[in-house]
CSV table of all heavy atoms in Angstrom, one decimal:
chain,number,residue,atom,x,y,z
S,24,HIS,N,-3.0,-22.8,15.4
S,24,HIS,CA,-3.3,-24.2,15.2
S,24,HIS,C,-3.1,-24.6,13.8
S,24,HIS,O,-3.4,-23.9,12.8
S,24,HIS,CB,-4.8,-24.5,15.6
S,24,HIS,CG,-5.1,-25.9,15.7
S,24,HIS,ND1,-5.4,-26.7,14.6
S,24,HIS,CD2,-5.2,-26.7,16.8
S,24,HIS,CE1,-5.7,-27.9,15.0
S,24,HIS,NE2,-5.6,-28.0,16.4
S,25,PRO,N,-2.5,-25.8,13.5
S,25,PRO,CA,-2.2,-26.2,12.1
S,25,PRO,C,-3.4,-26.2,11.2
S,25,PRO,O,-3.3,-25.9,10.0
S,25,PRO,CB,-1.7,-27.7,12.3
S,25,PRO,CG,-1.5,-27.9,13.7
S,25,PRO,CD,-2.1,-26.8,14.5
S,26,VAL,N,-4.6,-26.5,11.7
S,26,VAL,CA,-5.8,-26.4,10.9
S,26,VAL,C,-6.5,-25.1,11.3
S,26,VAL,O,-7.6,-25.1,11.9
S,26,VAL,CB,-6.8,-27.6,11.2
S,26,VAL,CG1,-7.9,-27.6,10.2
S,26,VAL,CG2,-6.0,-28.9,11.0
S,27,SER,N,-5.9,-24.0,10.9
S,27,SER,CA,-6.4,-22.7,11.3
S,27,SER,C,-7.5,-22.2,10.4
S,27,SER,O,-7.7,-22.7,9.3
S,27,SER,CB,-5.2,-21.7,11.3
S,27,SER,OG,-4.8,-21.5,10.0
S,28,HIS,N,-8.2,-21.2,10.9
S,28,HIS,CA,-9.2,-20.5,10.0
S,28,HIS,C,-8.6,-20.0,8.8
S,28,HIS,O,-9.1,-20.1,7.7
S,28,HIS,CB,-9.8,-19.4,10.8
S,28,HIS,CG,-10.7,-18.5,10.0
S,28,HIS,ND1,-11.9,-19.0,9.5
S,28,HIS,CD2,-10.6,-17.2,9.7
S,28,HIS,CE1,-12.5,-18.0,8.9
S,28,HIS,NE2,-11.7,-16.9,8.9
S,29,LEU,N,-7.3,-19.5,8.9
S,29,LEU,CA,-6.7,-18.9,7.7
S,29,LEU,C,-6.4,-20.0,6.7
S,29,LEU,O,-6.6,-19.9,5.5
S,29,LEU,CB,-5.4,-18.2,8.1
S,29,LEU,CG,-4.5,-17.7,7.0
S,29,LEU,CD1,-5.2,-16.8,6.0
S,29,LEU,CD2,-3.3,-17.0,7.5
S,30,ARG,N,-5.8,-21.1,7.2
S,30,ARG,CA,-5.5,-22.2,6.3
S,30,ARG,C,-6.7,-22.8,5.6
S,30,ARG,O,-6.7,-23.1,4.4
S,30,ARG,CB,-4.7,-23.3,7.0
S,30,ARG,CG,-4.1,-24.3,6.0
S,30,ARG,CD,-3.1,-25.2,6.7
S,30,ARG,NE,-2.5,-26.1,5.8
S,30,ARG,CZ,-1.7,-27.1,6.1
S,30,ARG,NH1,-1.3,-27.2,7.4
S,30,ARG,NH2,-1.2,-27.9,5.2
S,31,ALA,N,-7.8,-22.9,6.4
S,31,ALA,CA,-9.0,-23.4,5.7
S,31,ALA,C,-9.5,-22.4,4.6
S,31,ALA,O,-9.9,-22.8,3.6
S,31,ALA,CB,-10.1,-23.5,6.8
S,32,ARG,N,-9.3,-21.1,4.9
S,32,ARG,CA,-9.7,-20.1,3.9
S,32,ARG,C,-8.8,-20.2,2.7
S,32,ARG,O,-9.3,-20.2,1.5
S,32,ARG,CB,-9.7,-18.7,4.5
S,32,ARG,CG,-10.0,-17.6,3.5
S,32,ARG,CD,-10.1,-16.3,4.2
S,32,ARG,NE,-11.2,-16.2,5.1
S,32,ARG,CZ,-11.5,-15.2,5.9
S,32,ARG,NH1,-10.7,-14.1,5.8
S,32,ARG,NH2,-12.5,-15.2,6.7
S,33,ALA,N,-7.5,-20.4,2.9
S,33,ALA,CA,-6.6,-20.6,1.8
S,33,ALA,C,-7.0,-21.8,0.9
S,33,ALA,O,-6.9,-21.7,-0.3
S,33,ALA,CB,-5.2,-20.7,2.3
S,34,LEU,N,-7.4,-22.9,1.6
S,34,LEU,CA,-7.8,-24.1,0.8
S,34,LEU,C,-9.0,-23.8,0.0
S,34,LEU,O,-9.1,-24.2,-1.2
S,34,LEU,CB,-8.1,-25.2,1.8
S,34,LEU,CG,-6.8,-25.9,2.4
S,34,LEU,CD1,-7.2,-26.8,3.6
S,34,LEU,CD2,-6.0,-26.6,1.4
S,35,VAL,N,-10.0,-23.1,0.5
S,35,VAL,CA,-11.2,-22.7,-0.2
S,35,VAL,C,-10.8,-21.9,-1.4
S,35,VAL,O,-11.3,-22.1,-2.5
S,35,VAL,CB,-12.2,-22.0,0.7
S,35,VAL,CG1,-13.3,-21.5,-0.2
S,35,VAL,CG2,-12.7,-23.0,1.7
S,36,VAL,N,-10.0,-20.9,-1.2
S,36,VAL,CA,-9.5,-20.0,-2.3
S,36,VAL,C,-8.8,-20.8,-3.3
S,36,VAL,O,-9.0,-20.6,-4.5
S,36,VAL,CB,-8.6,-18.9,-1.7
S,36,VAL,CG1,-8.0,-18.1,-2.9
S,36,VAL,CG2,-9.4,-17.9,-0.9
S,37,GLY,N,-7.9,-21.7,-2.9
S,37,GLY,CA,-7.2,-22.5,-3.9
S,37,GLY,C,-8.1,-23.4,-4.7
S,37,GLY,O,-7.9,-23.5,-5.9
S,38,LEU,N,-9.2,-23.9,-4.1
S,38,LEU,CA,-10.1,-24.7,-4.9
S,38,LEU,C,-10.9,-23.8,-5.9
S,38,LEU,O,-11.1,-24.2,-7.1
S,38,LEU,CB,-11.2,-25.4,-4.0
S,38,LEU,CG,-10.6,-26.5,-3.2
S,38,LEU,CD1,-11.6,-26.9,-2.1
S,38,LEU,CD2,-10.3,-27.7,-4.1
S,39,THR,N,-11.2,-22.6,-5.5
S,39,THR,CA,-11.9,-21.7,-6.4
S,39,THR,C,-11.1,-21.3,-7.6
S,39,THR,O,-11.5,-21.3,-8.7
S,39,THR,CB,-12.3,-20.4,-5.6
S,39,THR,OG1,-13.1,-20.7,-4.5
S,39,THR,CG2,-13.0,-19.4,-6.5
S,40,LEU,N,-9.8,-21.1,-7.3
S,40,LEU,CA,-8.9,-20.7,-8.4
S,40,LEU,C,-8.6,-21.9,-9.3
S,40,LEU,O,-8.5,-21.7,-10.5
S,40,LEU,CB,-7.6,-20.2,-7.8
S,40,LEU,CG,-7.6,-18.9,-7.1
S,40,LEU,CD1,-6.3,-18.6,-6.4
S,40,LEU,CD2,-8.0,-17.8,-8.1
S,41,ALA,N,-8.5,-23.1,-8.7
S,41,ALA,CA,-8.3,-24.3,-9.6
S,41,ALA,C,-9.4,-24.5,-10.5
S,41,ALA,O,-9.2,-24.8,-11.7
S,41,ALA,CB,-8.1,-25.5,-8.7
S,42,VAL,N,-10.7,-24.3,-10.1
S,42,VAL,CA,-11.8,-24.5,-10.9
S,42,VAL,C,-11.8,-23.4,-12.0
S,42,VAL,O,-12.1,-23.7,-13.2
S,42,VAL,CB,-13.1,-24.4,-10.1
S,42,VAL,CG1,-14.3,-24.4,-11.0
S,42,VAL,CG2,-13.2,-25.6,-9.2
S,43,SER,N,-11.6,-22.1,-11.6
S,43,SER,CA,-11.6,-21.1,-12.6
S,43,SER,C,-10.5,-21.2,-13.6
S,43,SER,O,-10.7,-20.8,-14.8
S,43,SER,CB,-11.5,-19.7,-11.9
S,43,SER,OG,-10.2,-19.6,-11.3
S,44,ALA,N,-9.4,-21.9,-13.3
S,44,ALA,CA,-8.3,-22.1,-14.2
S,44,ALA,C,-8.7,-23.1,-15.3
S,44,ALA,O,-8.1,-23.1,-16.4
S,44,ALA,CB,-7.1,-22.6,-13.5
S,45,LEU,N,-9.8,-23.9,-15.1
S,45,LEU,CA,-10.2,-24.8,-16.1
S,45,LEU,C,-11.1,-24.2,-17.1
S,45,LEU,O,-11.4,-24.8,-18.2
S,45,LEU,CB,-11.0,-26.0,-15.4
S,45,LEU,CG,-10.2,-26.8,-14.4
S,45,LEU,CD1,-11.1,-27.9,-13.8
S,45,LEU,CD2,-9.0,-27.5,-15.1
S,46,VAL,N,-11.6,-23.0,-16.8
S,46,VAL,CA,-12.5,-22.3,-17.8
S,46,VAL,C,-11.7,-21.6,-18.9
S,46,VAL,O,-10.7,-20.9,-18.6
S,46,VAL,CB,-13.3,-21.2,-17.0
S,46,VAL,CG1,-14.2,-20.5,-18.0
S,46,VAL,CG2,-14.1,-21.9,-15.9
S,47,PRO,N,-11.9,-21.9,-20.1
S,47,PRO,CA,-11.1,-21.3,-21.2
S,47,PRO,C,-11.2,-19.8,-21.1
S,47,PRO,O,-12.2,-19.2,-20.9
S,47,PRO,CB,-11.8,-21.8,-22.5
S,47,PRO,CG,-12.6,-23.0,-22.1
S,47,PRO,CD,-13.0,-22.8,-20.7
S,48,ALA,N,-10.1,-19.2,-21.3
S,48,ALA,CA,-10.0,-17.7,-21.3
S,48,ALA,C,-9.3,-17.2,-22.6
S,48,ALA,O,-8.6,-17.9,-23.2
S,48,ALA,CB,-9.2,-17.2,-20.1
S,49,GLY,N,-9.7,-15.9,-22.9
S,49,GLY,CA,-9.1,-15.3,-24.1
S,49,GLY,C,-7.7,-15.0,-23.9
S,49,GLY,O,-7.2,-14.9,-22.8
S,50,SER,N,-7.0,-14.7,-24.9
S,50,SER,CA,-5.6,-14.3,-24.8
S,50,SER,C,-5.5,-12.9,-24.2
S,50,SER,O,-6.4,-12.0,-24.6
S,50,SER,CB,-4.9,-14.3,-26.2
S,50,SER,OG,-5.5,-13.5,-27.1
S,51,ALA,N,-4.5,-12.6,-23.4
S,51,ALA,CA,-4.4,-11.3,-22.8
S,51,ALA,C,-3.9,-10.2,-23.7
S,51,ALA,O,-3.2,-10.5,-24.6
S,51,ALA,CB,-3.5,-11.4,-21.5
S,52,GLY,N,-4.4,-9.0,-23.5
S,52,GLY,CA,-3.9,-7.8,-24.2
S,52,GLY,C,-4.4,-7.6,-25.6
S,52,GLY,O,-4.6,-8.6,-26.3
S,53,ALA,N,-4.5,-6.4,-25.9
S,53,ALA,CA,-4.9,-6.1,-27.3
S,53,ALA,C,-3.6,-6.3,-28.2
S,53,ALA,O,-2.5,-6.2,-27.7
S,53,ALA,CB,-5.4,-4.7,-27.4
S,54,ALA,N,-3.8,-6.5,-29.4
S,54,ALA,CA,-2.7,-6.8,-30.3
S,54,ALA,C,-1.7,-5.6,-30.4
S,54,ALA,O,-0.5,-5.9,-30.6
S,54,ALA,CB,-3.3,-7.1,-31.7
S,55,ASP,N,-2.2,-4.4,-30.3
S,55,ASP,CA,-1.3,-3.3,-30.5
S,55,ASP,C,-0.8,-2.6,-29.2
S,55,ASP,O,0.0,-1.7,-29.3
S,55,ASP,CB,-2.1,-2.2,-31.3
S,55,ASP,CG,-3.3,-1.7,-30.6
S,55,ASP,OD1,-3.8,-2.4,-29.7
S,55,ASP,OD2,-3.8,-0.6,-31.0
S,56,HIS,N,-1.2,-3.1,-28.0
S,56,HIS,CA,-0.7,-2.5,-26.8
S,56,HIS,C,-0.9,-3.5,-25.6
S,56,HIS,O,-1.8,-4.4,-25.7
S,56,HIS,CB,-1.3,-1.2,-26.5
S,56,HIS,CG,-2.8,-1.2,-26.3
S,56,HIS,ND1,-3.7,-1.1,-27.3
S,56,HIS,CD2,-3.5,-1.3,-25.1
S,56,HIS,CE1,-4.9,-1.2,-26.7
S,56,HIS,NE2,-4.8,-1.3,-25.4
S,57,TYR,N,-0.2,-3.2,-24.5
S,57,TYR,CA,-0.4,-3.9,-23.3
S,57,TYR,C,-1.4,-3.1,-22.4
S,57,TYR,O,-1.4,-1.9,-22.4
S,57,TYR,CB,0.9,-4.1,-22.5
S,57,TYR,CG,1.9,-5.0,-23.1
S,57,TYR,CD1,3.2,-4.5,-23.6
S,57,TYR,CD2,1.7,-6.4,-23.3
S,57,TYR,CE1,4.1,-5.4,-24.1
S,57,TYR,CE2,2.6,-7.2,-23.9
S,57,TYR,CZ,3.8,-6.7,-24.3
S,57,TYR,OH,4.7,-7.5,-24.8
S,58,GLN,N,-2.1,-3.9,-21.6
S,58,GLN,CA,-3.1,-3.2,-20.6
S,58,GLN,C,-2.5,-3.4,-19.2
S,58,GLN,O,-2.3,-4.5,-18.8
S,58,GLN,CB,-4.4,-3.9,-20.7
S,58,GLN,CG,-5.2,-3.7,-22.0
S,58,GLN,CD,-5.9,-2.4,-22.1
S,58,GLN,OE1,-5.8,-1.6,-21.2
S,58,GLN,NE2,-6.7,-2.2,-23.2
S,59,TRP,N,-2.3,-2.3,-18.6
S,59,TRP,CA,-1.8,-2.2,-17.2
S,59,TRP,C,-2.8,-1.5,-16.3
S,59,TRP,O,-3.2,-0.4,-16.6
S,59,TRP,CB,-0.4,-1.6,-17.1
S,59,TRP,CG,0.1,-1.2,-15.8
S,59,TRP,CD1,-0.2,-1.8,-14.6
S,59,TRP,CD2,0.9,-0.1,-15.4
S,59,TRP,NE1,0.4,-1.2,-13.5
S,59,TRP,CE2,1.1,-0.1,-14.0
S,59,TRP,CE3,1.6,0.9,-16.2
S,59,TRP,CZ2,1.9,0.8,-13.4
S,59,TRP,CZ3,2.4,1.8,-15.5
S,59,TRP,CH2,2.6,1.8,-14.1
S,60,ALA,N,-3.2,-2.2,-15.2
S,60,ALA,CA,-4.1,-1.6,-14.2
S,60,ALA,C,-3.3,-1.4,-12.9
S,60,ALA,O,-2.7,-2.3,-12.4
S,60,ALA,CB,-5.3,-2.4,-13.9
S,61,ALA,N,-3.3,-0.1,-12.4
S,61,ALA,CA,-2.6,0.2,-11.1
S,61,ALA,C,-3.7,0.4,-10.0
S,61,ALA,O,-4.5,1.2,-10.1
S,61,ALA,CB,-1.8,1.5,-11.3
S,62,LEU,N,-3.6,-0.5,-9.0
S,62,LEU,CA,-4.5,-0.5,-7.9
S,62,LEU,C,-3.8,-0.2,-6.6
S,62,LEU,O,-2.6,-0.6,-6.5
S,62,LEU,CB,-5.3,-1.8,-7.8
S,62,LEU,CG,-6.4,-2.2,-8.8
S,62,LEU,CD1,-5.9,-2.1,-10.2
S,62,LEU,CD2,-6.9,-3.6,-8.5
Side-chain angles (χ1 to χ4, degrees):
H24 192 279
V26 188
S27 65
H28 171 66
L29 172 57
R30 188 168 182 182
R32 179 172 294 176
L34 287 168
V35 171
V36 170
L38 287 170
T39 301
L40 291 174
V42 170
S43 66
L45 299 176
V46 179
S50 60
D55 59 343
H56 64 272
Y57 292 118
Q58 294 277 4
W59 166 29
L62 284 56

